[in-house]
Amino acid sequence: MNLPNKFSSTYTGSREITIDQCDHTSKLRITELCNMLQSVAAKHSDLGGMSYFDMQKFNQAWVLSSMRVEIEHLPQWHENIEITTWIENLKGIKTVRDFEMVLNGKKIVGATSLWVVLNTERRRPESIALPHDHLTKYPDKKATEHTFNKISTNTDASEVRTHKVVYSDLDLLNHVNNVKYMEWCLDSLPISFFESTSIKSIDVNYIKEVMMGEEITISTSFEKSEIFIYVSRPEEICFVMKLEF
């Protein structure tokens, strides 16, 4: 495995917030925030010999299973941020990767994520085939106050809308891109919610793959300071998001 001379087990990437990444308040959209985190993670994986193309030699790829994002403040258009990422652990079929977003020297976002190795031909989890002893793991270095967890699916929810999966929903694994689920869920909320509320944390669980042409239902449940949003198909929940505000 040929690694760059300056390879490090932590990686920091810089980004300028552009207008197309912002909502009507000029702040970074949550979906774009998650895209940026994953973009930095992908670059780190490329440098460490763990890229999508490296894994595809063994018909493997990383898929997101759970994620928690804690938000102190969202950056605005033209602001420059830094995102640092590292691996807490990597063993068998799973890895935990963390992120910190910093603006003007201050941490404004922390995130932790659980990824699973998927065999892209059999569509089943399996142990990672690539060697990874060259990667330092940081089991005691945390980016969030609380870790990701399994979100309850017992909450009563009201159907908001349906959606049929289209071309622009798909990623290179030929299933719905993980950020698209989040976009569907956030789009199901009234704009007044975003105008009057600051989201403090986001938890997501990916339960089942959703494919091209499938019709899904989006349902919501409002609690005192939490919202649960579900993406489901008949008799099966595929994705759940919890927002705390």
Side-chain angles (χ1 to χ4, degrees), residues 171-189:
D171 62 16
L172 75 176
L173 296 182
N174 201 30
H175 63 190
V176 173
N177 174 267
N178 63 66
V179 176
K180 276 291 181 176
Y181 292 88
M182 301 174 70
E183 183 178 277
W184 295 343
C185 291
L186 294 171
D187 283 349
S188 72
L189 300 175

Side-chain angles (χ1 to χ4, degrees), residues 19-41:
I19 190 171
D20 58 299
Q21 297 173 316
C22 297
D23 64 13
H24 66 296
T25 69
S26 82
K27 291 184 178 181
L28 182 67
R29 287 194 297 270
I30 288 170
T31 49
E32 293 295 339
L33 164 64
C34 292
N35 277 328
M36 292 174 75
L37 297 180
Q38 293 183 50
S39 176
V40 170

Side-chain angles (χ1 to χ4, degrees), residues 189-224:
L189 300 175
I191 195 168
S192 58
F193 170 79
F194 299 100
E195 293 173 336
S196 62
T197 307
S198 295
I199 296 173
K200 295 180 179 178
S201 68
I202 304 158
D203 283 284
V204 295
N205 291 168
Y206 297 85
I207 303 168
K208 295 288 184 179
E209 289 184 291
V210 178
M211 304 297 191
M212 178 71 185
E214 290 193 281
E215 187 166 294
I216 53 88
T217 298
I218 301 166
S219 306
T220 60
S221 176
F222 288 76
E223 306 293 338
K224 281 186 177 181

Side-chain angles (χ1 to χ4, degrees), residues 30-209:
I30 288 170
T31 49
E32 293 295 339
L33 164 64
C34 292
N35 277 328
M36 292 174 75
L37 297 180
Q38 293 183 50
S39 176
V40 170
K43 180 62 176 179
H44 191 211
S45 294
D46 290 349
L47 294 173
M50 306 284 287
S51 73
Y52 168 79
F53 297 105
D54 294 319
M55 295 187 69
Q56 274 294 281
K57 295 173 184 176
F58 302 93
N59 299 316
Q60 293 184 336
W62 291 112
V63 293
L64 185 59
S65 176
S66 297
M67 189 174 194
R68 178 174 173 83
V69 183
E70 296 177 354
I71 302 169
E72 179 69 26
H73 171 73
L74 287 171
Q76 299 187 76
W77 181 25
H78 288 313
E79 290 186 322
N80 291 284
I81 54 89
E82 289 187 339
I83 299 172
T84 300
T85 185
W86 63 93
I87 296 171
E88 271 196 39
N89 57 64
L90 195 169
K91 185 177 181 181
I93 68 170
K94 298 178 181 179
T95 186
V96 176
R97 177 179 283 276
D98 288 355
F99 307 85
E100 287 186 348
M101 178 181 284
V102 173
L103 173 65
N104 297 326
K106 180 183 177 182
K107 176 184 171 183
I108 59 172
V109 175
T112 184
S113 56
L114 174 65
W115 299 77
V116 173
V117 180
L118 179 75
N119 182 296
T120 54
E121 289 191 340
R122 297 192 296 112
R123 314 304 285 192
R124 300 290 300 172
E126 66 181 21
S127 294
I128 189 167
L130 287 170
H132 51 84
D133 290 344
H134 62 288
L135 293 171
T136 302
K137 287 77 172 181
Y138 301 90
D140 299 321
K141 182 177 171 65
K142 310 294 183 181
T144 56
E145 184 176 351
H146 303 286
T147 190
F148 49 79
N149 51 52
K150 187 175 181 180
I151 306 169
S152 171
T153 56
N154 296 324
T155 305
D156 291 333
S158 301
E159 180 178 327
V160 176
R161 65 188 181 98
T162 60
H163 174 77
K164 189 172 183 178
V165 176
V166 295
Y167 163 76
S168 61
D169 295 325
L170 303 179
D171 62 16
L172 75 176
L173 296 182
N174 201 30
H175 63 190
V176 173
N177 174 267
N178 63 66
V179 176
K180 276 291 181 176
Y181 292 88
M182 301 174 70
E183 183 178 277
W184 295 343
C185 291
L186 294 171
D187 283 349
S188 72
L189 300 175
I191 195 168
S192 58
F193 170 79
F194 299 100
E195 293 173 336
S196 62
T197 307
S198 295
I199 296 173
K200 295 180 179 178
S201 68
I202 304 158
D203 283 284
V204 295
N205 291 168
Y206 297 85
I207 303 168
K208 295 288 184 179
E209 289 184 291

